[in-house]
């Protein structure tokens, strides 16, 4: 069955013309010495100096920031939330210019940044220690202390959201931060710096350094960075973990995915179709948790596919700033070519479907797919949904888990028992029942297996951004046993 929108070979019609990329160090924008030249010719030595300067700035700011009460830190994060909500439209437009995603989606992303600042601003005063009574009136006090300077590194698909999801909890817990955005989306991390400064966050608490992988690598190896929080691909995540091992640093990794979306024969079909669109074509398919392996029960496969293809044809690809655009532009040409390469290989391996070229790629629905295809096994990170037909619950659970990834998954059924039974078998950090790609701030998010280590969001990050210090208080005499003879 053919799919895709057909015929449109559009070029990207706008430039990233927002200036920069700037660093943000010590509470102000500064021109990186390397920024007048494209990143590709960045002098590694200069990049290192700038990472060093940012880490120094974060280290200097640590004592004052960590000595504020949780309530004082929380108030500043709440104020940052208010500023973002007040400027949501302008910031969303910056995000569109940087990523090529449609404006309606950017508004959702920036709204979620405000939500995260609000949530962790509210949580900050509640981060407290423990008092543990011990024998003879002695006791222990367990303090929750910040880790120190956190080094964050981000991908390009949700630039500001990725940054805020790391920075809001880290700052709430009294840490300071150096963030390196993706070289493809350098802008809104600097905007976040300006928002935080306007909200009263002291200079140096949050810093941004621009650069390619080598800047990230230097940040990971920096001896004054206590914790690494990374979002990106599995191969880079593995390098970040190795760098963390060398310096005995705590590491959180949010990596790739190839998630299953399972539609049983009793599913509410319209919801399943809508969710499949959300699970595959948001942000031009460049979403880590996407449900790109769409398993559909054989008895409804034909109807489901026809309706999905028809809904896909109705998507409007075009200028991401236009209000009626539903699908925008791929991040850059090399990535667009990579996505098209997967389509070619899928066709060679027997799949049927289409996707048009340029930086604007028509979303594709591939049918006749099987589990061994490259497009089914590897993360495409583009608008390519692969339909896989199944016959039994046992079969689909086995196939859904037959992957090195484990970021997310979904089950569509009206049978409550089956929904929970299957969801409990899926090896993934998030399983949606009858919906897809929802990430409220209060809910932990992260991956099993190669999809990552640790979680973001929710209260689970208390462990990720703090360490305990136990004060043992002796109320009696020292008991040295036979070691001490009077
Ligand atoms: P990438 O791994 O190529 O780059 C990510 C970041 O790492 C960039 O800022 C890059 O400059 C930096 N980097 C590159 N080499 C480095 C090194 N040796 N040391 C330190 N930093 C280095 O990934 P990408 O192409 O930017 O993003 C796409 C990937 O991100 C996909 O696999 C996607 O699934 C994943 N992702 C995951 C999540 C999640 O929450 N799990 C969210 C978004 C994206």
């Amino acid at each position: 069955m053919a799919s895709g929108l057909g015929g449109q070979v559009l070029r990207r019609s706008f430039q990233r013309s927002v200036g920069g990329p700037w660093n943000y160090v010590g509470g102000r924008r500064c021109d990186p010495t390397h920024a007048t030249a494209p990143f590709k010719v960045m002098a590694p030595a200069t990049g290192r100096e700038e990472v060093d300067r940012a880490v120094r700035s974060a280290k200097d700011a640590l004592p004052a920031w960590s000595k504020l009460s949780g309530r004082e830190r929380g108030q500043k994060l709440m104020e940052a939330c208010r500023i973002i909500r007040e400027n949501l439209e302008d910031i969303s437009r910056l995000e569109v210019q940087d990523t090529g995603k449609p404006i309606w989606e950017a508004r959702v992303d920036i709204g979620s940044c405000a939500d995260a600042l609000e949530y962790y601003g509210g949580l900050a005063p509640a981060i407290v220690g423990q008092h543990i009574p011990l024998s003879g009136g002695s006791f222990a006090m367990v303090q929750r202390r910040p880790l120190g300077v956190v080094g964050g590194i981000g991908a390009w698909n949700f630039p500001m959201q990725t940054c805020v999801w790391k920075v809001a909890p880290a700052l709430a817990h009294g840490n300071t931060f150096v963030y390196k955005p993706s070289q493809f989306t350098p802008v809104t991390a600097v905007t976040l710096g300006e928002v935080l400064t306007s909200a009263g966050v002291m200079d140096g608490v949050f810093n941004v350094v621009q650069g390619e992988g080598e800047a990230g690598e230097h940040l990971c190896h920096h001896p004054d960075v206590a914790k690494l929080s990374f979002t990106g691909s599995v191969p880079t995540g593995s390098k970040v973990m190795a760098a963390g091992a060398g310096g005995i640093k705590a590491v959180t990794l949010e990596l790739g995915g190839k998630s299953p979306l399972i539609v049983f024969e009793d599913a509410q079909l319209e919801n399943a179709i809508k969710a499949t669109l959300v699970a595959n074509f948001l942000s031009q398919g460049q979403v880590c948790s996407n449900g790109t392996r769409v398993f559909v029960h054989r008895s409804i496969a034909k109807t489901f596919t026809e309706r999905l293809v028809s809904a896909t044809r109705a998507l409007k690809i075009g200028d991401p700033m236009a209000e009626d655009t539903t699908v925008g532009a791929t991040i850059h040409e090399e990535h667009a070519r990579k996505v098209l390469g997967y389509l070619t290989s899928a066709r060679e391996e027997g799949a049927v479907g289409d996707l048009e070229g340029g930086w604007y790629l028509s979303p594709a629905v591939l049918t006749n797919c099987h589990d061994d295809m490259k497009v089914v096994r590897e993360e495409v990170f583009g608008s390519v949904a692969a339909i896989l037909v199944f016959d039994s619950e046992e079969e689909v659970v086995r196939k859904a888990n037959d992957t090195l990834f484990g970021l997310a998954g979904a089950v569509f059924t009206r049978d409550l028992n089956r929904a929970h039974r299957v969801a409990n078998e899926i090896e993934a950090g998030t399983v949606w029942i009858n919906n897809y790609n929802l990430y409220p701030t209060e809910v932990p998010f992260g991956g099993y297996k190669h999809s990552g280590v640790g979680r973001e969001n929710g209260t689970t990050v208390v462990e990720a951004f703090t360490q305990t210090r136990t004060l043992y208080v002796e109320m009696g005499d020292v008991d040295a046993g036979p070691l001490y003879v009077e």
Side-chain angles (χ1 to χ4, degrees), residues 153-158 162 165-166 179-184 211-221 230-237 239-240 243 253-257 286-289 332 335 338 379 381 405 407 445-447 451-452 456:
I153 297 171
W156 41 260
N157 53 343
F158 291 84
T162 303
W165 279 12
K166 300 175 187 312
Y179 187 71
K180 191 205 85 65
S182 165
Q183 59 271 34
F184 301 113
E212 294 192 327
E214 59 211 299
E217 207 178 323
H218 189 55
L219 184 59
C220 292
H221 285 283
F230 173 81
T231 297
S233 64
V234 175
T236 313
K239 288 183 197 162
V240 169
L253 301 175
E254 291 286 350
L255 309 177
Q286 303 161 143
V287 181
C288 51
S289 54
H332 54 70
H335 188 61
K338 184 178 156 202
E379 186 184 42
F381 224 52
F405 295 111
L407 193 53
F445 179 75
S451 289
E456 294 190 321

Side-chain angles (χ1 to χ4, degrees), residues 20-37:
W22 304 277
N23 286 340
Y24 196 81
V25 179
R28 57 196 58 82
R29 270 182 200 213
C30 33
D31 280 329
T33 46
H34 64 259
T36 45

Side-chain angles (χ1 to χ4, degrees), residues 391-408:
D391 292 296
S392 74
E393 184 178 313
E394 177 281 321
E395 174 200 358
V396 77
V397 167
R398 181 170 35 80
K399 288 181 168 177
N401 288 334
D402 183 20
T403 168
L404 283 175
F405 295 111
L407 193 53

